[in-house]
Protein backbone atom coordinates (compact mmCIF):
# COMPACT_ATOMS: atom_id res chain seq x y z
CA UNK A 1 0.00 0.00 0.00
CA UNK A 2 1.34 3.37 -1.04
CA UNK A 3 0.17 6.40 -2.89
CA UNK A 4 -1.68 8.31 -0.15
CA UNK A 5 -1.13 11.89 -1.24
CA UNK A 6 -0.63 10.77 -4.83
CA UNK A 7 -2.93 10.81 -7.85
CA UNK A 8 -3.63 7.09 -7.40
CA UNK A 9 -3.26 4.54 -4.65
CA UNK A 10 -0.67 1.90 -5.47
CA UNK A 11 -1.74 -1.60 -4.45
CA UNK A 12 0.36 -4.73 -4.51
CA UNK A 13 -1.69 -7.70 -5.72
CA UNK A 14 -0.04 -10.93 -4.47
CA UNK A 15 1.89 -12.87 -7.13
CA UNK A 16 -0.33 -15.36 -8.95
CA UNK A 17 -3.48 -13.52 -7.86
CA UNK A 18 -6.08 -11.61 -9.81
CA UNK A 19 -7.60 -8.35 -8.60
CA UNK A 20 -11.25 -8.16 -7.54
CA UNK A 21 -13.08 -4.83 -7.69
CA UNK A 22 -16.57 -3.98 -6.48
CA UNK A 23 -18.44 -0.68 -6.09
CA UNK A 24 -21.59 0.02 -4.04
CA UNK A 25 -23.59 3.19 -3.57
CA UNK A 26 -25.26 3.96 -0.23
CA UNK A 27 -27.81 6.78 -0.39
CA UNK A 28 -29.71 8.52 2.33
CA UNK A 29 -33.43 7.79 1.96
CA UNK A 30 -32.75 4.66 -0.12
CA UNK A 31 -30.27 2.62 1.94
CA UNK A 32 -30.51 4.40 5.27
CA UNK A 33 -32.30 7.09 7.21
CA UNK A 34 -30.53 9.39 9.61
CA UNK A 35 -33.35 9.07 12.19
CA UNK A 36 -33.02 5.28 12.25
CA UNK A 37 -29.38 4.66 11.55
CA UNK A 38 -26.60 6.24 13.58
CA UNK A 39 -23.66 7.53 11.50
CA UNK A 40 -21.51 4.72 12.90
CA UNK A 41 -24.09 2.16 11.66
CA UNK A 42 -24.23 3.82 8.23
CA UNK A 43 -20.43 3.63 7.96
CA UNK A 44 -20.40 -0.01 9.03
CA UNK A 45 -23.16 -1.03 6.61
CA UNK A 46 -21.57 0.93 3.77
CA UNK A 47 -18.31 -1.04 3.98
CA UNK A 48 -20.15 -4.33 4.65
CA UNK A 49 -21.72 -4.07 1.20
CA UNK A 50 -18.31 -4.00 -0.48
CA UNK A 51 -16.65 -6.61 1.72
CA UNK A 52 -19.57 -8.96 1.20
CA UNK A 53 -19.01 -8.84 -2.57
CA UNK A 54 -15.37 -9.81 -2.07
CA UNK A 55 -16.51 -12.64 0.24
CA UNK A 56 -18.91 -13.88 -2.44
CA UNK A 57 -15.99 -14.49 -4.82
CA UNK A 58 -13.95 -16.25 -2.14
CA UNK A 59 -11.54 -13.31 -2.20
CA UNK A 60 -9.30 -11.54 0.28
CA UNK A 61 -10.05 -7.82 0.75
CA UNK A 62 -7.06 -5.47 0.46
CA UNK A 63 -8.18 -1.85 0.34
CA UNK A 64 -11.26 0.34 0.32
CA UNK A 65 -11.91 3.69 -1.38
CA UNK A 66 -14.66 6.01 -0.23
CA UNK A 67 -16.31 8.78 -2.24
CA UNK A 68 -18.60 10.98 -0.16
CA UNK A 69 -21.06 13.62 -1.31
CA UNK A 70 -22.28 15.50 1.75
CA UNK A 71 -24.87 18.26 2.26
CA UNK A 72 -23.29 21.58 3.23
CA UNK A 73 -25.09 21.70 6.59
CA UNK A 74 -24.11 18.19 7.74
CA UNK A 75 -22.40 18.37 11.16
CA UNK A 76 -18.73 17.32 11.13
CA UNK A 77 -19.59 15.00 14.03
CA UNK A 78 -21.77 12.94 11.73
CA UNK A 79 -18.87 12.44 9.30
CA UNK A 80 -16.47 11.58 12.14
CA UNK A 81 -18.81 8.90 13.52
CA UNK A 82 -19.50 7.57 10.04
CA UNK A 83 -15.77 7.13 9.46
CA UNK A 84 -15.36 5.59 12.90
CA UNK A 85 -17.92 2.89 12.07
CA UNK A 86 -16.39 2.27 8.68
CA UNK A 87 -12.79 2.18 9.92
CA UNK A 88 -13.60 -0.16 12.82
CA UNK A 89 -14.98 -2.72 10.38
CA UNK A 90 -12.04 -2.11 8.03
CA UNK A 91 -9.64 -2.87 10.86
CA UNK A 92 -11.46 -6.12 11.68
CA UNK A 93 -10.81 -7.30 8.14
CA UNK A 94 -7.31 -5.76 7.80
CA UNK A 95 -8.50 -3.49 5.01
CA UNK A 96 -6.83 -0.11 4.41
CA UNK A 97 -8.89 2.94 3.53
CA UNK A 98 -6.62 3.94 0.68
CA UNK A 99 -8.30 6.89 -0.98
CA UNK A 100 -11.47 8.46 -2.19
CA UNK A 101 -13.02 11.78 -3.03
CA UNK A 102 -15.40 14.25 -1.43
CA UNK A 103 -17.84 16.78 -2.83
CA UNK A 104 -20.86 18.77 -1.79
CA UNK A 105 -24.26 17.15 -2.27
CA UNK A 106 -27.35 19.19 -3.11
CA UNK A 107 -29.60 16.84 -1.13
CA UNK A 108 -28.85 13.92 1.11
CA UNK A 109 -25.75 11.96 1.97
CA UNK A 110 -24.23 9.72 -0.68
CA UNK A 111 -21.37 7.28 -0.13
CA UNK A 112 -19.80 5.19 -2.86
CA UNK A 113 -17.58 2.42 -1.52
CA UNK A 114 -15.06 0.61 -3.68
CA UNK A 115 -13.33 -2.48 -2.32
CA UNK A 116 -10.33 -4.05 -4.03
CA UNK A 117 -9.34 -7.59 -3.14
CA UNK A 118 -7.48 -10.50 -4.65
CA UNK A 119 -7.94 -14.16 -5.35
CA UNK A 120 -5.56 -16.83 -6.71
CA UNK A 121 -5.73 -16.80 -10.50
CA UNK A 122 -8.69 -18.69 -11.92
CA UNK A 123 -10.07 -19.58 -8.49
CA UNK A 124 -12.67 -16.85 -7.96
CA UNK A 125 -16.04 -18.46 -7.25
CA UNK A 126 -18.35 -17.25 -9.98
CA UNK A 127 -22.13 -17.22 -10.21
CA UNK A 128 -21.96 -19.38 -13.29
CA UNK A 129 -20.58 -22.63 -11.85
CA UNK A 130 -23.77 -24.34 -10.55
CA UNK A 131 -24.61 -27.71 -12.16
CA UNK A 132 -27.76 -29.86 -12.00
CA UNK A 133 -27.57 -32.05 -8.90
CA UNK A 134 -25.50 -29.54 -6.91
CA UNK A 135 -26.88 -28.81 -3.48
CA UNK A 136 -27.80 -25.28 -2.45
CA UNK A 137 -26.56 -23.86 0.88
CA UNK A 138 -26.70 -20.63 2.83
CA UNK A 139 -24.55 -19.31 5.66
CA UNK A 140 -26.23 -18.01 8.82
CA UNK A 141 -29.91 -17.14 9.03
CA UNK A 142 -32.04 -15.09 6.68
CA UNK A 143 -34.63 -12.33 6.79
CA UNK A 144 -33.45 -10.49 9.90
CA UNK A 145 -32.47 -7.27 8.18
CA UNK A 146 -35.68 -6.83 6.20
CA UNK A 147 -37.87 -7.79 9.17
CA UNK A 148 -36.09 -5.14 11.23
CA UNK A 149 -36.64 -2.58 8.50
CA UNK A 150 -40.34 -3.41 8.55
CA UNK A 151 -40.43 -2.65 12.27
CA UNK A 152 -38.63 0.65 11.69
CA UNK A 153 -41.10 1.53 8.93
CA UNK A 154 -43.99 0.82 11.31
CA UNK A 155 -42.59 3.46 13.66
CA UNK A 156 -41.11 1.17 16.33
CA UNK A 157 -38.09 2.43 18.26
CA UNK A 158 -35.49 -0.31 18.30
CA UNK A 159 -32.40 -1.02 20.38
CA UNK A 160 -29.70 -1.76 17.75
CA UNK A 161 -28.05 -4.34 20.05
CA UNK A 162 -31.15 -6.56 19.69
CA UNK A 163 -31.17 -6.31 15.88
CA UNK A 164 -27.50 -6.72 14.98
CA UNK A 165 -28.21 -8.43 11.66
CA UNK A 166 -29.69 -5.16 10.42
CA UNK A 167 -27.51 -2.61 12.19
CA UNK A 168 -24.16 -4.40 12.18
CA UNK A 169 -24.22 -7.14 9.55
CA UNK A 170 -20.88 -8.97 9.27
CA UNK A 171 -19.61 -9.84 5.80
CA UNK A 172 -18.76 -13.56 5.56
CA UNK A 173 -15.22 -13.04 4.32
CA UNK A 174 -13.64 -15.93 6.22
CA UNK A 175 -16.38 -18.39 5.27
CA UNK A 176 -16.08 -17.35 1.61
CA UNK A 177 -12.32 -17.78 1.69
CA UNK A 178 -12.57 -21.28 3.18
CA UNK A 179 -15.23 -22.33 0.66
CA UNK A 180 -12.81 -21.28 -2.08
CA UNK A 181 -9.63 -22.72 -0.53
CA UNK A 182 -11.24 -26.12 0.10
CA UNK A 183 -12.82 -25.99 -3.36
CA UNK A 184 -16.24 -26.73 -1.87
CA UNK A 185 -18.42 -24.17 -3.67
CA UNK A 186 -19.24 -24.49 -7.37
CA UNK A 187 -21.06 -21.13 -7.50
CA UNK A 188 -21.56 -18.35 -4.97
CA UNK A 189 -23.25 -14.96 -4.44
CA UNK A 190 -23.97 -12.82 -1.40
CA UNK A 191 -27.59 -12.34 -0.37
CA UNK A 192 -27.89 -8.58 -0.73
CA UNK A 193 -31.11 -8.43 -2.77
CA UNK A 194 -32.97 -11.35 -1.14
CA UNK A 195 -32.73 -15.13 -1.54
CA UNK A 196 -35.30 -15.34 -4.36
CA UNK A 197 -33.48 -12.68 -6.41
CA UNK A 198 -29.94 -13.84 -5.70
CA UNK A 199 -30.74 -17.51 -6.36
CA UNK A 200 -32.24 -16.41 -9.67
CA UNK A 201 -28.92 -14.68 -10.49
CA UNK A 202 -27.01 -17.94 -9.91
CA UNK A 203 -29.53 -19.93 -11.97
CA UNK A 204 -29.45 -17.43 -14.82
CA UNK A 205 -25.65 -17.23 -14.98
CA UNK A 206 -25.33 -21.04 -14.67
CA UNK A 207 -28.18 -21.89 -17.06
CA UNK A 208 -29.94 -24.09 -14.51
CA UNK A 209 -33.09 -24.26 -12.36
CA UNK A 210 -33.48 -24.89 -8.64
CA UNK A 211 -35.75 -26.41 -6.03
CA UNK A 212 -35.86 -24.94 -2.53
CA UNK A 213 -37.42 -26.51 0.58
CA UNK A 214 -39.34 -23.87 2.56
CA UNK A 215 -38.90 -25.81 5.80
CA UNK A 216 -35.15 -25.93 5.42
CA UNK A 217 -34.60 -22.18 5.19
CA UNK A 218 -32.94 -20.93 8.39
CA UNK A 219 -34.99 -18.02 9.73
CA UNK A 220 -33.28 -15.19 11.58
CA UNK A 221 -34.36 -14.38 15.13
CA UNK A 222 -34.62 -10.71 16.01
CA UNK A 223 -35.53 -8.61 19.03
CA UNK A 224 -35.60 -9.33 22.72
CA UNK A 225 -37.06 -11.77 23.54
CA UNK A 226 -35.81 -13.14 20.21
CA UNK A 227 -38.48 -14.12 17.71
CA UNK A 228 -38.10 -15.91 14.36
CA UNK A 229 -38.98 -13.81 11.32
CA UNK A 230 -41.69 -14.65 8.81
CA UNK A 231 -40.59 -16.88 5.90
CA UNK A 232 -41.32 -14.11 3.41
CA UNK A 233 -38.56 -11.95 4.87
CA UNK A 234 -36.11 -14.85 4.52
CA UNK A 235 -37.22 -15.49 0.93
CA UNK A 236 -37.37 -11.93 -0.36
CA UNK A 237 -35.75 -9.55 2.14
CA UNK A 238 -32.40 -8.03 1.27
CA UNK A 239 -29.23 -6.92 3.05
CA UNK A 240 -28.63 -10.09 5.05
CA UNK A 241 -25.12 -10.36 3.57
CA UNK A 242 -25.07 -14.10 4.06
CA UNK A 243 -23.55 -16.28 1.35
CA UNK A 244 -25.64 -18.43 -0.98
CA UNK A 245 -23.60 -21.17 -2.62
CA UNK A 246 -23.87 -24.46 -4.45
CA UNK A 247 -21.66 -27.52 -4.02
CA UNK A 248 -21.49 -30.82 -5.93
CA UNK A 249 -23.09 -33.78 -4.11
CA UNK A 250 -19.66 -35.36 -3.82
CA UNK A 251 -18.38 -32.56 -1.55
CA UNK A 252 -18.64 -32.93 2.19
CA UNK A 253 -19.97 -29.59 3.41
CA UNK A 254 -19.32 -28.92 7.12
CA UNK A 255 -22.23 -27.84 9.33
CA UNK A 256 -20.22 -24.80 10.40
CA UNK A 257 -17.54 -22.83 8.56
CA UNK A 258 -15.54 -20.12 10.34
CA UNK A 259 -18.07 -20.30 13.18
CA UNK A 260 -21.05 -19.70 10.88
CA UNK A 261 -23.79 -22.35 10.53
CA UNK A 262 -24.22 -23.77 7.02
CA UNK A 263 -27.66 -25.03 5.97
CA UNK A 264 -28.68 -26.99 2.89
CA UNK A 265 -31.86 -25.41 1.50
CA UNK A 266 -32.36 -27.18 -1.83
CA UNK A 267 -30.90 -28.52 -5.03
CA UNK A 268 -29.97 -27.30 -8.47
CA UNK A 269 -32.15 -28.78 -11.24
CA UNK A 270 -32.01 -28.93 -15.00
CA UNK A 271 -34.11 -26.39 -16.87
CA UNK A 272 -34.98 -22.85 -15.92
CA UNK A 273 -37.63 -23.18 -13.23
CA UNK A 274 -37.00 -22.14 -9.66
CA UNK A 275 -39.58 -23.74 -7.39
CA UNK A 276 -40.23 -23.92 -3.68
CA UNK A 277 -41.77 -26.90 -1.84
CA UNK A 278 -43.91 -26.06 1.17
CA UNK A 279 -44.09 -28.40 4.22
CA UNK A 280 -46.95 -30.34 2.55
CA UNK A 281 -44.68 -30.88 -0.49
CA UNK A 282 -46.82 -28.55 -2.58
CA UNK A 283 -44.68 -26.99 -5.27
CA UNK A 284 -44.96 -23.37 -6.40
CA UNK A 285 -42.80 -21.06 -8.45
CA UNK A 286 -40.28 -18.99 -6.45
CA UNK A 287 -40.35 -15.68 -8.25
CA UNK A 288 -37.56 -13.16 -7.62
CA UNK A 289 -39.35 -10.48 -5.62
CA UNK A 290 -36.26 -9.29 -3.92
CA UNK A 291 -35.36 -6.22 -2.18
CA UNK A 292 -37.42 -3.69 -4.11
CA UNK A 293 -40.42 -4.57 -1.93
CA UNK A 294 -38.59 -3.62 1.22
CA UNK A 295 -37.01 -0.37 0.17
CA UNK A 296 -37.17 2.48 2.64
CA UNK A 297 -39.11 4.55 0.17
CA UNK A 298 -42.35 2.58 0.13
CA UNK B 1 -11.32 -9.14 -17.67
CA UNK B 2 -14.11 -11.27 -16.29
CA UNK B 3 -16.77 -11.05 -13.66
CA UNK B 4 -19.49 -9.11 -15.48
CA UNK B 5 -22.63 -10.52 -13.88
CA UNK B 6 -20.63 -11.48 -10.77
CA UNK B 7 -20.28 -9.85 -7.37
CA UNK B 8 -16.91 -8.39 -8.37
CA UNK B 9 -15.05 -7.72 -11.57
CA UNK B 10 -11.95 -9.90 -11.93
CA UNK B 11 -8.97 -8.02 -13.35
CA UNK B 12 -5.63 -9.47 -14.37
CA UNK B 13 -2.79 -7.17 -13.33
CA UNK B 14 0.27 -7.91 -15.53
CA UNK B 15 3.03 -9.93 -13.81
CA UNK B 16 5.52 -7.68 -12.04
CA UNK B 17 3.07 -4.78 -12.00
CA UNK B 18 1.31 -3.00 -9.15
CA UNK B 19 -2.32 -1.93 -9.34
CA UNK B 20 -3.27 1.77 -9.47
CA UNK B 21 -6.68 2.88 -8.25
CA UNK B 22 -8.27 6.32 -8.41
CA UNK B 23 -11.80 7.59 -7.71
CA UNK B 24 -13.38 10.89 -8.77
CA UNK B 25 -16.80 12.33 -8.15
CA UNK B 26 -18.55 14.44 -10.79
CA UNK B 27 -21.59 16.34 -9.49
CA UNK B 28 -24.14 18.39 -11.31
CA UNK B 29 -23.87 22.03 -10.24
CA UNK B 30 -20.29 21.55 -9.04
CA UNK B 31 -18.46 19.95 -11.96
CA UNK B 32 -20.97 20.49 -14.74
CA UNK B 33 -24.26 22.11 -15.62
CA UNK B 34 -26.79 20.45 -17.87
CA UNK B 35 -27.48 23.71 -19.74
CA UNK B 36 -23.78 24.10 -20.64
CA UNK B 37 -22.51 20.58 -20.93
CA UNK B 38 -24.13 18.01 -23.20
CA UNK B 39 -24.48 14.54 -21.65
CA UNK B 40 -21.81 13.26 -24.03
CA UNK B 41 -19.41 15.99 -22.76
CA UNK B 42 -20.23 15.14 -19.12
CA UNK B 43 -19.45 11.46 -19.76
CA UNK B 44 -16.21 12.32 -21.53
CA UNK B 45 -15.04 14.68 -18.78
CA UNK B 46 -16.04 12.23 -16.05
CA UNK B 47 -13.75 9.50 -17.40
CA UNK B 48 -11.00 12.01 -18.25
CA UNK B 49 -10.67 12.79 -14.54
CA UNK B 50 -9.88 9.17 -13.71
CA UNK B 51 -7.64 8.49 -16.72
CA UNK B 52 -5.66 11.65 -16.00
CA UNK B 53 -4.84 10.34 -12.51
CA UNK B 54 -3.50 7.11 -14.03
CA UNK B 55 -1.47 9.19 -16.52
CA UNK B 56 -0.01 11.20 -13.64
CA UNK B 57 1.55 8.04 -12.17
CA UNK B 58 2.91 6.90 -15.54
CA UNK B 59 0.41 4.04 -15.47
CA UNK B 60 -1.54 2.05 -18.01
CA UNK B 61 -5.33 2.18 -17.56
CA UNK B 62 -7.11 -1.19 -17.52
CA UNK B 63 -10.73 -0.82 -16.44
CA UNK B 64 -13.26 1.74 -15.26
CA UNK B 65 -16.18 1.41 -12.83
CA UNK B 66 -19.06 3.85 -12.85
CA UNK B 67 -21.49 4.54 -10.01
CA UNK B 68 -24.39 6.73 -11.03
CA UNK B 69 -27.01 8.38 -8.84
CA UNK B 70 -29.70 9.82 -11.10
CA UNK B 71 -32.82 11.90 -10.46
CA UNK B 72 -36.03 9.96 -11.08
CA UNK B 73 -37.18 12.33 -13.84
CA UNK B 74 -33.93 12.26 -15.85
CA UNK B 75 -34.65 11.24 -19.46
CA UNK B 76 -33.14 7.89 -20.50
CA UNK B 77 -31.72 9.71 -23.52
CA UNK B 78 -29.48 11.75 -21.23
CA UNK B 79 -28.04 8.58 -19.69
CA UNK B 80 -27.54 6.99 -23.11
CA UNK B 81 -25.61 10.00 -24.42
CA UNK B 82 -23.59 10.25 -21.20
CA UNK B 83 -22.53 6.61 -21.60
CA UNK B 84 -21.80 7.18 -25.28
CA UNK B 85 -19.35 9.99 -24.42
CA UNK B 86 -17.75 7.96 -21.67
CA UNK B 87 -17.46 4.76 -23.70
CA UNK B 88 -16.00 6.54 -26.72
CA UNK B 89 -13.15 7.85 -24.59
CA UNK B 90 -12.79 4.45 -22.91
CA UNK B 91 -12.38 2.84 -26.30
CA UNK B 92 -9.71 5.36 -27.31
CA UNK B 93 -7.64 4.24 -24.32
CA UNK B 94 -8.55 0.53 -24.50
CA UNK B 95 -10.27 0.70 -21.13
CA UNK B 96 -13.16 -1.65 -20.28
CA UNK B 97 -16.18 -0.40 -18.36
CA UNK B 98 -16.17 -3.34 -15.97
CA UNK B 99 -18.86 -2.59 -13.43
CA UNK B 100 -20.53 -0.07 -11.22
CA UNK B 101 -23.75 0.64 -9.41
CA UNK B 102 -26.82 2.80 -9.92
CA UNK B 103 -29.26 4.40 -7.51
CA UNK B 104 -31.83 7.16 -7.42
CA UNK B 105 -30.63 10.64 -6.48
CA UNK B 106 -32.83 13.08 -4.58
CA UNK B 107 -31.33 16.05 -6.39
CA UNK B 108 -28.94 16.30 -9.28
CA UNK B 109 -26.83 13.87 -11.20
CA UNK B 110 -23.84 12.30 -9.47
CA UNK B 111 -21.22 10.10 -11.13
CA UNK B 112 -18.36 8.43 -9.31
CA UNK B 113 -15.70 7.09 -11.64
CA UNK B 114 -13.11 4.55 -10.54
CA UNK B 115 -10.22 3.73 -12.83
CA UNK B 116 -7.90 0.80 -12.21
CA UNK B 117 -4.57 0.67 -13.97
CA UNK B 118 -1.16 -0.86 -13.54
CA UNK B 119 2.47 0.13 -13.48
CA UNK B 120 5.69 -1.94 -13.26
CA UNK B 121 6.49 -2.53 -9.60
CA UNK B 122 8.25 0.41 -7.93
CA UNK B 123 8.12 2.57 -11.06
CA UNK B 124 5.01 4.67 -10.43
CA UNK B 125 5.93 8.35 -10.62
CA UNK B 126 5.06 9.82 -7.24
CA UNK B 127 4.56 13.40 -6.14
CA UNK B 128 7.37 13.03 -3.66
CA UNK B 129 10.36 12.59 -5.97
CA UNK B 130 11.24 16.22 -6.81
CA UNK B 131 14.74 17.36 -5.73
CA UNK B 132 16.35 20.83 -5.58
CA UNK B 133 17.77 21.66 -8.99
CA UNK B 134 15.20 19.59 -10.89
CA UNK B 135 13.51 21.44 -13.70
CA UNK B 136 9.74 21.87 -13.81
CA UNK B 137 7.78 21.08 -16.97
CA UNK B 138 4.21 21.01 -18.18
CA UNK B 139 2.59 19.23 -21.12
CA UNK B 140 0.36 21.22 -23.47
CA UNK B 141 -1.03 24.64 -22.66
CA UNK B 142 -2.76 25.86 -19.53
CA UNK B 143 -5.82 27.85 -18.49
CA UNK B 144 -8.12 26.98 -21.37
CA UNK B 145 -10.69 25.09 -19.33
CA UNK B 146 -11.11 27.73 -16.61
CA UNK B 147 -11.17 30.60 -19.12
CA UNK B 148 -13.94 28.79 -20.99
CA UNK B 149 -15.85 28.32 -17.76
CA UNK B 150 -15.58 32.04 -17.12
CA UNK B 151 -17.18 32.72 -20.50
CA UNK B 152 -19.97 30.26 -19.71
CA UNK B 153 -20.54 31.95 -16.35
CA UNK B 154 -20.79 35.32 -18.08
CA UNK B 155 -23.66 33.95 -20.13
CA UNK B 156 -21.89 33.45 -23.44
CA UNK B 157 -23.14 30.70 -25.74
CA UNK B 158 -20.12 28.72 -26.93
CA UNK B 159 -19.50 26.30 -29.76
CA UNK B 160 -17.82 23.31 -28.03
CA UNK B 161 -15.65 22.66 -31.10
CA UNK B 162 -13.85 25.98 -30.48
CA UNK B 163 -13.20 25.19 -26.79
CA UNK B 164 -12.10 21.56 -26.87
CA UNK B 165 -9.80 21.89 -23.85
CA UNK B 166 -12.85 22.49 -21.70
CA UNK B 167 -15.43 20.27 -23.39
CA UNK B 168 -13.24 17.36 -24.53
CA UNK B 169 -9.99 17.41 -22.54
CA UNK B 170 -7.70 14.49 -23.41
CA UNK B 171 -5.89 12.74 -20.57
CA UNK B 172 -2.13 12.57 -21.24
CA UNK B 173 -1.86 8.82 -20.79
CA UNK B 174 0.70 8.22 -23.53
CA UNK B 175 2.91 11.13 -22.46
CA UNK B 176 2.82 9.92 -18.83
CA UNK B 177 3.72 6.39 -19.87
CA UNK B 178 6.71 7.59 -21.92
CA UNK B 179 7.93 9.85 -19.10
CA UNK B 180 7.90 6.78 -16.84
CA UNK B 181 9.36 4.30 -19.34
CA UNK B 182 12.25 6.61 -20.23
CA UNK B 183 12.70 7.42 -16.54
CA UNK B 184 12.61 11.15 -17.31
CA UNK B 185 10.26 12.42 -14.58
CA UNK B 186 11.30 12.52 -10.92
CA UNK B 187 7.83 13.62 -9.73
CA UNK B 188 4.50 14.08 -11.50
CA UNK B 189 0.91 15.20 -10.94
CA UNK B 190 -1.95 16.08 -13.25
CA UNK B 191 -3.18 19.68 -13.31
CA UNK B 192 -6.74 19.21 -12.18
CA UNK B 193 -6.88 21.88 -9.45
CA UNK B 194 -4.70 24.52 -11.13
CA UNK B 195 -0.93 24.92 -11.54
CA UNK B 196 -0.44 26.86 -8.30
CA UNK B 197 -2.27 24.23 -6.24
CA UNK B 198 -0.83 21.17 -7.97
CA UNK B 199 2.74 22.49 -7.88
CA UNK B 200 2.23 23.08 -4.15
CA UNK B 201 1.23 19.39 -3.81
CA UNK B 202 4.49 18.28 -5.44
CA UNK B 203 6.53 20.68 -3.28
CA UNK B 204 4.79 19.57 -0.10
CA UNK B 205 5.17 15.85 -0.79
CA UNK B 206 8.79 16.30 -1.89
CA UNK B 207 9.74 18.74 0.88
CA UNK B 208 11.05 21.34 -1.56
CA UNK B 209 10.29 24.82 -2.90
CA UNK B 210 10.00 26.06 -6.48
CA UNK B 211 10.53 29.04 -8.74
CA UNK B 212 8.31 29.55 -11.75
CA UNK B 213 8.88 31.97 -14.67
CA UNK B 214 5.63 33.70 -15.59
CA UNK B 215 6.82 34.30 -19.16
CA UNK B 216 7.54 30.61 -19.68
CA UNK B 217 4.05 29.36 -18.89
CA UNK B 218 2.35 28.15 -22.07
CA UNK B 219 -1.06 29.86 -22.32
CA UNK B 220 -3.96 28.04 -23.93
CA UNK B 221 -5.72 29.62 -26.89
CA UNK B 222 -9.48 29.37 -26.98
CA UNK B 223 -12.35 30.44 -29.21
CA UNK B 224 -12.52 31.39 -32.87
CA UNK B 225 -10.55 33.40 -33.75
CA UNK B 226 -8.27 31.80 -31.13
CA UNK B 227 -7.12 34.05 -28.36
CA UNK B 228 -4.58 33.37 -25.59
CA UNK B 229 -6.02 33.21 -22.08
CA UNK B 230 -5.01 35.48 -19.22
CA UNK B 231 -2.04 34.28 -17.15
CA UNK B 232 -4.23 33.97 -14.06
CA UNK B 233 -6.28 31.20 -15.67
CA UNK B 234 -3.07 29.31 -16.47
CA UNK B 235 -1.78 29.79 -12.91
CA UNK B 236 -4.94 29.01 -10.96
CA UNK B 237 -7.57 27.50 -13.25
CA UNK B 238 -8.37 23.80 -12.90
CA UNK B 239 -9.39 20.91 -15.13
CA UNK B 240 -6.73 21.34 -17.79
CA UNK B 241 -5.64 17.70 -17.25
CA UNK B 242 -2.14 18.46 -18.46
CA UNK B 243 0.79 16.85 -16.65
CA UNK B 244 3.10 18.80 -14.35
CA UNK B 245 6.41 17.04 -13.80
CA UNK B 246 9.95 17.56 -12.64
CA UNK B 247 13.11 16.09 -14.15
CA UNK B 248 16.75 16.16 -13.02
CA UNK B 249 18.98 18.60 -14.94
CA UNK B 250 20.91 15.64 -16.33
CA UNK B 251 17.86 14.33 -18.24
CA UNK B 252 17.30 15.37 -21.81
CA UNK B 253 13.62 16.29 -22.01
CA UNK B 254 12.23 16.28 -25.57
CA UNK B 255 10.27 19.31 -26.79
CA UNK B 256 7.37 17.02 -27.70
CA UNK B 257 6.28 13.72 -26.20
CA UNK B 258 3.54 11.64 -27.83
CA UNK B 259 2.72 14.67 -29.97
CA UNK B 260 2.24 16.97 -26.97
CA UNK B 261 4.50 20.04 -26.52
CA UNK B 262 6.61 20.03 -23.35
CA UNK B 263 7.58 23.36 -21.78
CA UNK B 264 10.03 24.12 -19.00
CA UNK B 265 8.40 26.61 -16.64
CA UNK B 266 10.81 26.76 -13.69
CA UNK B 267 13.03 24.97 -11.23
CA UNK B 268 12.77 23.16 -7.93
CA UNK B 269 14.53 24.99 -5.05
CA UNK B 270 15.56 24.16 -1.54
CA UNK B 271 13.22 25.31 1.22
CA UNK B 272 9.48 25.68 1.18
CA UNK B 273 8.82 28.83 -0.82
CA UNK B 274 7.09 28.74 -4.16
CA UNK B 275 7.74 31.96 -6.04
CA UNK B 276 6.99 33.36 -9.46
CA UNK B 277 9.21 35.74 -11.42
CA UNK B 278 7.43 38.25 -13.64
CA UNK B 279 8.94 39.45 -16.96
CA UNK B 280 10.78 42.22 -15.07
CA UNK B 281 12.33 39.55 -12.81
CA UNK B 282 10.26 40.75 -9.87
CA UNK B 283 9.68 37.89 -7.51
CA UNK B 284 6.41 37.25 -5.66
CA UNK B 285 4.96 34.35 -3.76
CA UNK B 286 2.86 31.93 -5.85
CA UNK B 287 0.07 31.02 -3.46
CA UNK B 288 -2.09 28.01 -4.23
CA UNK B 289 -5.40 29.61 -5.20
CA UNK B 290 -6.50 26.76 -7.31
CA UNK B 291 -9.73 25.68 -8.56
CA UNK B 292 -12.00 26.86 -5.78
CA UNK B 293 -12.07 30.32 -7.34
CA UNK B 294 -13.44 28.99 -10.56
CA UNK B 295 -16.14 26.67 -9.30
CA UNK B 296 -19.47 26.77 -11.07
CA UNK B 297 -21.18 27.78 -7.87
CA UNK B 298 -19.76 31.28 -7.45
Amino acid sequence: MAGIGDDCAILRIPAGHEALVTTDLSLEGIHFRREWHSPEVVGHRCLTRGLSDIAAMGGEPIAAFLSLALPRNLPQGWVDQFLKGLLKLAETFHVTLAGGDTAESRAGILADIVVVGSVPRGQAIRRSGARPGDRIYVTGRLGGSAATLKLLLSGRKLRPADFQGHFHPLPRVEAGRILRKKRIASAMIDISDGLSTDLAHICEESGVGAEVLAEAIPLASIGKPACAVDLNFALHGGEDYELLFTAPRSKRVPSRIAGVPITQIGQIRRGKHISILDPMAVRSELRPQGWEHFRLRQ
Side-chain angles (χ1 to χ4, degrees), chain A residues 240-253:
Chain A
D240 281 321
Y241 301 112
E242 297 294 348
L243 297 175
L244 169 66
F245 66 95
T246 60
R249 278 161 190 264
S250 60
K251 296 284 180 187
R252 205 197 132 260
V253 178

Side-chain angles (χ1 to χ4, degrees), chain A residues 26-41:
Chain A
S26 295
L27 276 87
E28 184 175 2
I30 306 278
H31 300 93
F32 66 91
R33 281 196 195 168
R34 266 190 263 178
E35 63 266 38
W36 294 342
H37 301 104
S38 71
E40 177 272 337
V41 159

Side-chain angles (χ1 to χ4, degrees), chain A residues 257-270:
Chain A
I257 295 180
V260 185
I262 307 292
T263 309
Q264 187 189 336
I265 62 164
Q267 281 191 49
I268 295 295
R269 299 286 192 202
R270 278 178 215 289

Side-chain angles (χ1 to χ4, degrees), chain A residues 157-180:
Chain A
K157 289 263 172 227
L158 304 181
R159 220 173 68 96
D162 302 331
F163 299 86
Q164 289 287 43
H166 179 79
F167 292 101
H168 289 102
L170 280 179
R172 300 303 189 191
V173 174
E174 188 55 24
R177 183 158 40 195
I178 291 171
L179 286 165
R180 185 253 307 157

Side-chain angles (χ1 to χ4, degrees), chain A residues 128-142:
Chain A
S128 53
R131 297 292 169 261
D134 283 4
R135 280 154 179 170
I136 305 169
Y137 299 84
V138 292
T139 63
R141 300 179 160 277
L142 305 184

Side-chain angles (χ1 to χ4, degrees), chain A residues 218-234:
Chain A
L219 304 176
S221 287
I222 60 172
K224 200 170 185 176
C227 183
V229 304
D230 185 272
L231 177 64
N232 277 307
F233 290 112

